[in-house]
Amino acid sequence: SQQGEEDPQALSIQEGENATMNCSYKTSINNLQWYRQNSGRGLVHLILIRSNEREKHSGRLRVTLDTSKKSSSLLITASRAADTASYFCATDKGTGGSEKLVFGKGMKLTVNP
Amino acid sequence: ETGVTQSPTHLIKTRGQQVTLRCSSQSGHNTVSWYQQALGQGPQFIFQYYREEENGRGNFPPRFSGLQFPNYSSELNVNALELDDSALYLCASSSSVLRGEKLFFGSGTQLSVL
């Protein structure tokens, strides 16, 4: 089952613009992670935010988490053509159970040069 | 590059056959997770191995089975292949089973079942 749902499902922007992706989830979580996937290859970890954190930065990435709304956003500033990829949020439910990280369906970002 | 290697990169099988996919985890990692990713979807958790024992399983039938070896490399076996098993199979390693561990993914094995 997929807990996260990214929004929008696809985004096309010009190089230099900012890109914002949103993720909503259904159950309580221990932490939320964002991953990037280029052309159907392996996923690369971008950033992790814990349930007791509200905002986190890493280079051009900014992640926010609102546990009351069960949502997170990923902002990529000053986008580059190399940022073109699919982005996934993944939640760790933190309440036991056999499922580990649960991924959303992903959002395809296209950055036009 | 993550240091997680998967083989083969591509595989074509026919319905009813069996397949074995292999994964070498990143150095120092003792936990391996397997995911199935259908076209246009996010990865779906199959199972996780920690120190050669299964440590959690997703909603996949018993014909999906796995192994982890003393060097922490892993295999995913799928019996009685079905057309819907066509997908990208991803292996991910991590340094522990603790919550909050980030996953290091291999490049995947693209399986086509005809």
Side-chain angles (χ1 to χ4, degrees):
Chain A
S1 62
Q2 301 197 273
Q3 145 125 292
E5 187 98 15
E6 292 86 352
D7 170 59
Q9 292 193 329
L11 181 64
S12 181
I13 59 174
Q14 295 300 122
E15 212 165 23
E17 293 181 336
N18 295 341
T20 299
M21 291 159 260
N22 302 301
C23 169
S24 58
Y25 56 90
K26 296 172 186 169
T27 62
S28 62
I29 62 169
N30 189 53
N31 65 73
L32 185 144
Q33 303 183 32
W34 285 91
Y35 287 79
R36 184 187 75 212
Q37 184 178 39
N38 288 76
S39 302
R41 306 295 287 176
L43 283 75
V44 175
H45 180 268
L46 295 176
I47 196 165
L48 178 153
I49 187 164
R50 300 190 189 282
S51 58
N52 61 353
E53 297 176 310
R54 291 297 166 257
E55 188 171 312
K56 205 160 180 181
H57 297 254
S58 177
R60 294 185 294 113
L61 305 179
R62 173 179 167 249
V63 170
T64 61
L65 179 65
D66 188 334
T67 52
S68 66
K69 294 181 179 177
K70 292 187 170 58
S71 67
S72 172
S73 67
L74 172 67
L75 168 67
I76 303 175
T77 59
S79 64
R80 306 166 182 168
D83 294 328
T84 295
S86 292
Y87 291 82
F88 295 87
C89 66
T91 53
D92 179 336
K93 288 191 276 189
T95 55
S98 61
E99 285 210 47
K100 306 303 177 181
L101 277 186
V102 180
F103 287 81
K105 292 184 179 180
M107 194 219 76
K108 187 165 185 176
L109 173 66
T110 302
V111 181
N112 300 300
Chain B
E1 295 296 319
T2 63
V4 179
T5 58
Q6 291 187 244
S7 63
T9 54
H10 295 85
L11 203 52
I12 299 175
K13 290 285 188 178
T14 56
R15 196 169 49 181
Q17 284 189 313
Q18 177 265 342
V19 68
T20 298
L21 310 181
R22 294 180 174 83
C23 172
S24 293
S25 58
Q26 183 159 308
S27 178
H29 286 185
N30 57 18
T31 304
V32 173
S33 303
W34 285 91
Y35 285 83
Q36 180 196 65
Q37 185 178 22
L39 191 63
Q41 300 294 315
Q44 296 268 340
F45 174 72
I46 303 176
F47 43 56
Q48 182 185 80
Y49 277 83
Y50 170 65
R51 292 186 175 179
E52 303 177 59
E53 298 284 333
E54 187 177 289
N55 182 53
R57 188 180 183 92
N59 189 27
F60 280 81
R63 59 190 184 83
F64 285 77
S65 64
L67 278 175
Q68 188 179 32
F69 301 98
N71 65 355
Y72 303 131
S73 66
S74 178
E75 285 183 356
L76 164 65
N77 298 290
V78 187
N79 293 322
L81 283 167
E82 300 177 359
L83 297 179
D84 285 349
D85 296 333
S86 295
L88 180 68
Y89 287 84
L90 294 163
C91 162
S93 73
S94 54
S95 56
S96 81
V97 294
L98 294 177
R99 297 201 178 277
E101 287 294 319
K102 66 182 185 181
L103 300 181
F104 293 79
F105 282 85
S107 295
T109 294
Q110 185 66 55
L111 173 64
S112 298
V113 182
L114 306 178

